[in-house]
Amino acid sequence: QVQLVESGGGLVQAGGSLKLSCAASGSIFSIVSMGWHRQAPGKQRELVAYITSGDRTNYADSVKGRFTISRDNAKNTVYLQMNSLKPEDTAVYYCYLRTYMTYWGQGTQVTISS
């Protein structure tokens, strides 16, 4: 059983920053990647960023240059540093971990006020 616990969401003004964390625990073997999706009200869930076991990263075009994903392998934790936040970044952010299965966190709310 794998559990993902997210933290770091909240309410900030446009232009501000937040850092999300996602800690994985349980029987974790052969991590392929970890990352973040988000879902805004009335919209489909979309990929924000991911980082592979080889530290290759990928970002949605909408967050390139503003968000940075990183991981601490020893802690099985992935981070998402979000800078220059915009109201359109408002969403529930979901962490995931991919091995031979994909596991999801419960989500953390990020709200950006204009």
Side-chain angles (χ1 to χ4, degrees), residues 1-6 21-36 51 53 70-79 95-99:
Q1 187 77 4
V2 174
Q3 290 186 326
L4 301 177
V5 179
E6 298 137 333
S21 300
C22 173
S25 61
S27 300
I28 302 170
F29 302 98
S30 300
I31 296 176
V32 174
S33 64
M34 296 184 74
W36 298 87
I51 183 167
S53 59
S70 60
R71 59 185 284 187
D72 183 330
N73 293 330
K75 296 181 179 180
N76 284 329
T77 299
V78 65
Y79 305 96
C95 166
Y96 76 90
L97 181 153
R98 180 166 293 133
T99 60

Side-chain angles (χ1 to χ4, degrees), residues 81-102:
Q81 177 67 47
M82 306 186 294
N83 299 327
S84 302
L85 284 161
K86 304 175 181 180
E88 51 263 45
D89 294 318
T90 295
V92 178
Y93 284 69
Y94 297 91
C95 166
Y96 76 90
L97 181 153
R98 180 166 293 133
T99 60
Y100 66 95
M101 294 179 61
T102 300

